[in-house]
Amino acid sequence: MIASQLDPMVIKSGDNVIIRMPSTNAKIVTLNPAKSVSLGKFGSFNASELIGKTFGHTYEIEKGGSIVPHTIAGFDSADITEANNKEIVDNPKSQKLTFQEIEQLKTMSLSGDVSAQEIIASLTENNESFDKKTEFSKSKYILRKQRKFMKSFVPLETSVYNLCNYFFEFNPGKIRGIRADTLSQVLSLANVYSNARILAVDDGQGIIIGALLSRMAAGGQVLGIHDGDVSNYDVIRYMNFTTDTRDRLQTLPWSKLYHNVEPFTEQLAEGASEDDRFGRERRLRGHSRLSDSLDNLRRGEFDALVISTNYNSKSVIERLVPYLGGSRMLVVYDQSKDALLETFAWLRQSPDFLNVQLTESWLREYQVLPSRTHPMMNTSGGGGFILSAIHLAPVEKPATDSSS
């Protein structure tokens, strides 16, 4: 096996990759060496060009679908000076290029006849107020034009953090609105570690279960309870997990929670077709998976119970807490505080739980640069609420003497 196949930061054939474009839009693609990846107005490139490259670098698309490493100048390159912008007047006539000339440059850029750097250079050279700007204002101006014209992208690993940020930004309903910092608190409160056994209910299409699996790459097991006959953990398919990691996940439908498994006795008739044999093998595998999941559940003594459900969380806890070990963590996530208030009050009154807490995470992103450190103007309104508690081990009553 070559070194690139062992390095998790090297992109491989068949990997799922988040492509971040200059406009800050993103898309998830599966790399097939025989196909090309289209980024709309930013062009397209051959997927084979990206295989063997490293996650996190910026690549520019050239004519013919090839890519080359590229460095985008940002605010870091701006020098601090005493200059200011008080003499600059917002006047659209300061740009000497006409609208038609700029549109022609865009068309030539799409065909590969003109590079994005040449367009940006033309815009700055023909901007009468550009030289009057401070170095920082020049850097911001160039960065805005790069986001508009650069045919570049950044491939990001489909890690739990990147996927959570991706879906939170573009499709928060898919993951029930959980933010990356909230997800990290769920993992921390649940005390997830290698070789742990975790019981989970995740109606956020697998973002929490995927995070649990990522913490147990060296060993452990996750048992997911789900609706329907087949689990809908769609987010997990984007994570480039190994087969061993995927095998650490067992699933069990709610409808089979109290099911008694009978021995598999189906026999094939003489002269059975190939389809009949395949069908019997498929049913046998399903029977074995169900039996193993039920055996795992009924062993009990799970190391944590993690819940993100569309149902009433109190009813879910009542059904699953008997399988949770003593001195182990119960962690419940929900988008709404109101959905957790009833459960919070119930846990506070229950003698079986200790240190019951209902918390909300708050996050503010900062720009950190010399003499220009400040909070970002836009931020998310909320990342969800977490209800946590310690489950106490049941007290065994001492045996009484019948003669007394």
Side-chain angles (χ1 to χ4, degrees):
M1 184 176 291
I2 61 176
S4 62
Q5 292 176 317
L6 298 174
D7 189 349
M9 295 307 296
V10 173
I11 302 170
K12 299 178 287 297
S13 176
D15 276 357
N16 295 296
V17 181
I18 300 174
I19 302 294
R20 176 72 67 172
M21 289 166 269
S23 61
T24 70
N25 287 331
K27 65 184 295 187
I28 301 177
V29 299
T30 302
L31 294 182
N32 184 339
K35 295 183 178 180
S36 62
V37 178
S38 175
L39 302 182
K41 71 174 185 177
F42 298 107
S44 60
F45 64 93
N46 300 321
S48 57
E49 292 280 328
L50 195 56
I51 295 172
K53 300 290 194 302
T54 307
F55 286 109
H57 287 281
T58 301
Y59 299 95
E60 185 176 3
I61 303 172
E62 294 189 325
K63 191 173 182 178
S66 60
I67 59 174
V68 293
H70 177 70
T71 301
I72 294 182
F75 298 157
D76 295 325
S77 62
D79 295 327
I80 302 173
T81 66
E82 297 298 325
N84 57 66
N85 298 327
K86 67 179 182 179
E87 301 296 334
I88 298 177
V89 179
D90 188 10
N91 184 4
K93 294 183 179 180
S94 61
Q95 178 57 253
K96 290 184 282 187
L97 288 178
T98 64
F99 174 78
Q100 290 76 13
E101 290 172 332
I102 295 175
E103 288 298 312
Q104 184 179 3
L105 288 173
K106 289 182 182 179
T107 304
M108 296 173 67
S109 175
L110 290 175
S111 61
D113 296 327
V114 176
S115 67
Q117 291 94 328
E118 291 173 325
I119 296 178
I120 296 171
S122 298
L123 291 172
T124 55
E125 289 171 4
N126 290 278
N127 191 319
E128 293 179 346
S129 62
F130 184 77
D131 291 334
K132 300 177 183 178
K133 295 176 181 288
T134 64
E135 292 301 313
F136 185 49
S137 295
K138 290 178 182 178
S139 181
K140 288 199 294 184
Y141 178 86
I142 292 173
L143 183 60
R144 286 198 304 270
K145 299 307 177 186
Q146 286 176 337
R147 288 177 175 173
K148 188 173 183 180
F149 297 111
M150 283 296 297
K151 297 170 65 176
S152 62
F153 65 92
V154 179
L156 300 176
E157 183 186 8
T158 51
S159 62
V160 173
Y161 175 79
N162 288 334
L163 279 174
C164 191
N165 284 336
Y166 172 84
F167 286 113
F168 186 80
E169 181 178 357
F170 298 107
N171 189 4
K174 186 182 182 77
I175 58 173
R176 303 191 74 243
I178 190 168
R179 203 170 50 203
D181 61 304
T182 308
L183 180 57
S184 68
Q185 291 184 50
V186 169
L187 297 177
S188 178
L189 288 169
N191 192 28
V192 182
Y193 54 89
S194 291
N195 296 314
R197 293 173 60 243
I198 310 296
L199 183 59
V201 179
D202 183 6
D203 291 341
Q205 299 204 15
I207 185 66
I208 291 180
I209 284 185
L212 294 171
L213 289 172
S214 71
R215 285 288 185 94
M216 294 187 289
Q221 199 167 57
V222 178
L223 176 58
I225 312 297
H226 60 84
D227 281 329
D229 295 330
V230 181
S231 62
N232 182 24
Y233 299 144
D234 184 65
V235 175
I236 294 179
R237 70 185 177 96
Y238 297 115
M239 301 178 182
N240 299 318
F241 284 147
T242 63
T243 303
D244 288 342
T245 302
R246 291 181 182 274
D247 289 343
R248 302 190 196 285
L249 172 63
Q250 289 183 323
T251 60
L252 182 67
W254 278 111
S255 59
K256 303 291 186 181
L257 199 63
Y258 305 112
H259 183 72
N260 291 320
V261 180
E262 300 294 335
F264 189 81
T265 58
E266 179 182 344
Q267 299 293 330
L268 290 175
E270 292 186 9
S273 66
E274 193 74 13
D275 290 341
D276 292 335
R277 284 194 291 272
F278 284 148
R280 182 185 181 278
E281 291 174 1
R282 184 179 66 253
R283 290 187 288 274
L284 177 59
R285 288 194 298 269
H287 180 276
S288 299
R289 285 195 296 269
L290 176 60
S291 178
D292 292 343
S293 297
L294 284 171
D295 288 344
N296 187 20
L297 176 71
R298 289 164 185 169
R299 281 173 53 198
E301 296 299 316
F302 281 92
D303 295 309
L305 173 57
V306 182
I307 298 172
S308 172
T309 181
N310 296 321
Y311 294 120
N312 180 280
S313 56
K314 178 175 176 288
S315 64
V316 173
I317 294 171
E318 287 175 331
R319 284 167 173 77
L320 297 181
V321 79
Y323 305 106
L324 180 61
S327 299
R328 298 296 188 266
M329 289 300 299
L330 164 69
V331 182
V332 186
Y333 163 81
D334 205 285
Q335 290 176 274
S336 170
K337 179 177 71 174
D338 295 338
L340 296 175
L341 288 177
E342 179 190 357
T343 309
F344 174 70
W346 172 66
L347 291 175
R348 288 286 300 271
Q349 295 175 359
S350 173
D352 298 327
F353 295 93
L354 185 68
N355 194 27
V356 182
Q357 296 183 357
L358 178 58
T359 59
E360 178 188 10
S361 60
W362 191 84
L363 178 71
R364 189 70 182 266
E365 186 177 358
Y366 273 70
Q367 171 184 290
V368 181
L369 291 172
S371 299
R372 300 188 296 276
T373 298
H374 61 78
M376 304 299 285
M377 299 301 294
N378 296 325
T379 187
S380 62
F385 297 82
I386 301 175
L387 174 61
S388 61
I390 301 173
H391 178 234
L392 300 179
V395 178
E396 294 184 3
K397 295 182 179 180
T400 59
D401 188 354
S402 58
S403 61
S404 60

